[in-house]
Amino acid sequence: MALAVDRDVDFESYVAARQNMHLRTAYLLTGDRFLAEDLVQTAFAKLYLAWNRVHDQASLDAYVRRIMVNEHTSWWRRAWRRNETSVDSIPELPRQGGELGGDIATDLYQRDALWALVRQLPPKQRAAVVLRFYEDLSERQTAEILQVSIGTVKSQTSRAVAALRTAWQNEEGQR
Amino acid sequence: MNDFESWLADELKARASGVEGSASMAGAARKQARTIRTRRIVTGGAIAAVIAAVAIPTAMSLTGNPLSGPEPATTTTPVTDSPSPALTETPSEEPTTPPSDPATEPETPPTETDEPERGGTTELVLDGLPAGDSPAIGWTDGLTFHRPDGGEATLSDGFNNVLAFGDGVVGTTSRDDNPIDEVVFADSSGTEMEFYNGYGPIATSDGSLVAWFEVDAGQLSFAQADGNGTAPAALPIENGDMLSPVGFGGPELVVSNVTDADSQSLGWRADHIRGESVDWNTVGIEFQTVTAVSQAANLIAGFTEITDEGGCSAVYDGPTGEQLWDTCDYSVLGFSPDGRYALGSHAYLDGAGIAFSMIFDARTGESVHTFDTAEDGVIFDSAFEDDSHVLIIYNAGYDSATSRTAILRCELDGACETATDVRELADDEFPFGFGVQP
């Protein structure tokens, strides 16, 4: 019983400290705040079940990231099997102009357009991009979380970046 | 990082910066955990998850040469403590319910030869070991697959679960736009010849027959290495089950884990490749997921339960359906080619890394030997090379700047030698892996 109490205290302490960090990663994976909360809650639930097998803080964070990536990919797969292409709706790209003018409007347009393109990436590529460029993880750390080889991380990341760059150039060309 | 990548990184950080939760999720997560616990079932991915977490598939076994090296690499001592720093419990030395009935012994037990002294532990090291032959089972070094016959094949990036087939290889790969794995046949240069949406492959112990599940056709498909033979081309799976083949339980018996279309586990099943009745007593064998099958000894192992503290595993005799032993301290991940020994590790494999590999007596669960890691070491994978040697991909200095790795060949009494060069790893390298074990 003492063990269970200790686990609850430690678990609550971890959640309080890391919840927002994981929510931000989940948001980048899902592109949706509500889905992000669902994803993090599921990851925390599975972490709770595995609590006594994962010890240090770094392992806990990696464990939660791995669950989030796997769970998100699983959601996407289930949707794919129901003949949907994505769990996320693909947003329309914002049009330049509007109430703001000049550099500010251009900057906002470019940022929104890039984010929209990121949201269209397949989940594995998107996870690679988020882990490498947002979390600043090494290729090795990313490989462990994605459960793929280092080479696959490199290829997923480079393909994703190339796709984003090409799509971005096409967007720019149409403006 | 170039300008575009820097801009991408900045944008991701900016997008995420405003995201915050309104209240602690701890309570809701615990409630959801209780729900998960009550219906938690693992699929065949449980093993793949932890192994893939260190980027290594499982292995195949053929024959190997006896060691010529000296005494065990380090001192051999009785198991007295938990062999795993990742576990909070101290695993017991014996399985939970070792069988006591002599009637459980096979009618024709394996020949007693060079029985290793049982119950010892060896802490793995990389330095000071004699150099032995290269692995005699299929293994990968980067994108080169070393076939058991000594030949080589070039693999395309992302090619996993490799198995020598004819002059080429068969394995799995995943495409960016396809959530289902593809089973791919390729020639020795890596050129893909055929591919199918599906899971597998597995092979009979002599490597002559390969099987995989084709998702689109809803069938188990078969191919003979020599292109001839009398095996059928396919066995339709009528009820919509999605199969992940685990191994051959007999020359014409395929054992698979089963999921529905939503990837929810439905347990396991055994299929005769010709659709004939299965001569195993499968009724009482209640696995959540099967982890290993022995064709030679007709044994089957798997997880019977997943708990908060880990998992429970068991080994059954397939033909009789009798449970030989079970344990909630370890998992059972493979059998020696003759089915006499089992290979195991942590009770539940969650991707945190493998800190020890353990050899059991396959029919009793008695500990034969434990291969432990140093504090900064991790086992990427292990597999039987033959009936008396195990191969271990060991990494020393994991997560440090001076990480080194090699494939070690160890006898079942703990004597080890290197089967590859000891390689210093640059960051982000995992050079070695094993192929699929027939």
Side-chain angles (χ1 to χ4, degrees):
Chain A
M1 183 62 73
L3 270 178
V5 172
D6 288 346
R7 176 174 67 171
D8 284 359
V9 170
D10 292 344
F11 177 72
E12 290 195 14
S13 175
Y14 175 80
V15 169
R18 312 300 266 184
Q19 173 176 309
N20 285 341
M21 181 190 79
H22 290 310
L23 264 176
R24 290 173 192 134
T25 302
Y27 173 69
L28 295 178
L29 291 173
T30 63
D32 181 289
R33 292 193 183 210
F34 296 107
L35 284 177
E37 290 201 8
D38 286 348
L39 191 60
V40 173
Q41 182 175 309
T42 298
F44 281 158
K46 293 186 175 181
L47 172 67
Y48 181 75
L49 292 171
W51 187 259
N52 290 332
R53 300 192 306 277
V54 191
H55 283 273
D56 60 272
Q57 188 84 7
S59 295
L60 292 172
D61 291 344
Y63 191 87
V64 171
R65 289 187 187 115
R66 183 176 301 126
I67 294 172
M68 289 198 301
V69 168
N70 285 342
E71 193 72 18
H72 180 239
T73 303
S74 176
W75 289 356
W76 182 79
R77 285 178 171 171
R78 290 176 198 177
W80 187 88
R81 283 182 178 168
R82 296 187 189 100
N83 298 320
E84 300 172 20
T85 55
S86 170
V87 293
D88 302 324
S89 60
I90 298 176
E92 289 185 9
L93 295 183
R95 297 271 58 95
Q96 189 176 12
E99 295 179 0
L100 294 173
D103 292 343
I104 296 176
T106 300
D107 180 58
L108 283 177
Y109 165 78
Q110 290 178 333
R111 291 181 53 198
D112 285 348
L114 179 62
W115 173 233
L117 293 172
V118 169
R119 295 178 65 189
Q120 295 178 53
L121 288 173
K124 289 180 180 175
Q125 286 188 15
R126 187 165 164 180
V129 164
V130 169
L131 295 173
R132 293 283 290 128
F133 295 116
Y134 172 69
E135 295 276 12
D136 291 327
L137 299 183
S138 69
E139 289 173 338
R140 175 175 173 170
Q141 291 169 317
T142 303
E144 291 176 1
I145 289 172
L146 296 182
Q147 301 170 357
V148 297
S149 68
I150 301 293
T152 300
V153 169
K154 290 178 178 175
S155 62
Q156 295 270 16
T157 308
S158 65
R159 273 185 225 164
V161 171
L164 289 173
R165 191 194 304 273
T166 300
W168 171 250
Q169 288 169 345
N170 290 340
E171 282 295 322
E172 286 289 281
Q174 291 173 9
R175 287 172 56 199
Chain B
M1 193 178 291
N2 58 39
D3 288 347
F4 185 82
E5 292 173 348
S6 296
W7 181 43
L8 174 61
D10 290 344
E11 178 55 26
L12 292 176
K13 290 180 170 77
R15 284 282 162 188
S17 64
V19 178
E20 290 186 6
S22 55
S24 172
M25 292 178 164
R30 280 201 303 270
K31 183 177 180 182
Q32 186 173 347
R34 284 193 290 273
T35 303
I36 293 172
R37 189 188 310 156
T38 59
R39 61 179 171 76
R40 189 167 194 176
I41 41 182
V42 293
T43 67
I47 302 307
V50 65
I51 293 172
V54 287
I56 302 294
T58 52
M60 64 170 66
S61 294
L62 287 175
T63 57
N65 299 324
L67 289 182
S68 56
E71 291 302 301
T74 58
T75 54
T76 300
T77 56
V79 176
T80 54
D81 297 316
S82 166
S84 164
L87 294 175
T88 55
E89 302 166 308
T90 300
S92 62
E93 193 170 342
E94 298 300 325
T96 309
T97 56
S100 56
D101 184 359
T104 61
E105 292 300 316
E107 293 179 5
T108 54
T111 306
E112 296 283 337
T113 54
D114 299 331
E115 176 70 19
E117 184 178 344
R118 298 192 168 195
T121 295
T122 296
E123 184 174 298
L124 296 169
V125 296
L126 292 178
D127 297 315
L129 299 179
D133 293 335
S134 295
I137 64 174
W139 60 289
T140 57
D141 182 353
L143 294 180
T144 299
F145 178 66
H146 296 268
R147 299 164 54 95
D149 61 12
E152 293 183 358
T154 300
L155 306 176
S156 53
D157 189 30
F159 209 77
N160 293 311
N161 303 314
V162 191
L163 186 61
F165 183 79
D167 295 330
V169 294
V170 56
T172 61
T173 188
S174 56
R175 313 280 181 192
D176 295 338
D177 56 351
N178 186 353
I180 300 171
D181 287 349
E182 288 183 355
V183 177
V184 178
F185 288 80
D187 64 18
S188 59
S189 68
T191 302
E192 296 181 0
M193 312 298 285
E194 297 178 49
F195 47 89
Y196 310 89
N197 284 336
Y199 303 102
I202 59 169
T204 50
S205 57
D206 62 3
S208 64
L209 183 64
V210 169
W212 70 98
F213 181 71
E214 274 187 51
V215 171
D216 298 334
Q219 66 184 28
L220 278 170
S221 296
F222 309 103
Q224 298 206 195
D226 59 5
N228 298 310
T230 58
L235 175 69
I237 303 299
E238 304 289 358
N239 59 358
D241 282 355
M242 301 277 284
L243 306 192
S244 294
V246 179
F248 278 87
E252 297 191 327
L253 183 70
V254 174
V255 174
S256 308
N257 287 311
V258 185
T259 62
D260 64 17
D262 281 338
S263 301
Q264 298 301 303
S265 174
L266 300 175
W268 70 285
R269 59 184 284 166
D271 292 280
H272 192 284
I273 65 171
R274 302 178 194 281
E276 299 172 6
S277 61
V278 173
D279 58 354
W280 277 22
N281 182 6
T282 61
V283 175
I285 307 177
E286 296 184 356
F287 285 126
Q288 293 189 3
T289 190
V290 173
T291 55
V293 183
S294 168
Q295 179 180 332
N298 303 130
L299 300 179
I300 182 170
F303 286 108
T304 55
E305 183 182 3
I306 300 296
T307 69
D308 278 7
E309 304 303 322
C312 294
S313 296
V315 174
Y316 283 81
D317 179 82
T320 65
E322 179 183 11
Q323 185 182 99
L324 301 179
W325 54 283
D326 68 348
T327 174
C328 294
D329 295 325
Y330 308 105
S331 56
V332 183
L333 307 177
F335 292 104
S336 57
D338 63 0
R340 185 173 181 179
Y341 299 108
L343 181 63
S345 190
H346 301 271
Y348 182 65
L349 304 168
D350 56 11
I354 300 174
F356 70 96
S357 285
M358 201 162 178
I359 310 297
F360 303 97
D361 184 307
R363 297 195 71 87
T364 68
E366 181 185 3
S367 167
V368 174
H369 203 83
T370 300
F371 295 96
D372 202 355
T373 61
E375 189 171 341
D376 64 346
V378 66
I379 292 172
F380 284 178
D381 199 6
S382 53
F384 278 99
E385 183 179 45
D386 54 40
D387 296 334
S388 55
H389 297 92
V390 63
L391 294 173
I392 297 172
I393 303 174
Y394 182 57
N395 182 284
Y398 189 67
D399 279 339
S400 74
T402 57
S403 175
R404 295 182 305 144
T405 192
I407 298 179
L408 305 180
R409 174 183 294 107
C410 298
E411 294 184 346
L412 303 189
D413 65 359
C416 295
E417 65 181 17
T418 56
T420 63
D421 57 309
V422 178
R423 199 165 300 180
E424 190 159 322
L425 299 180
D427 189 26
D428 301 344
E429 276 189 326
F430 291 99
F432 299 128
F434 294 136
V436 172
Q437 183 173 353

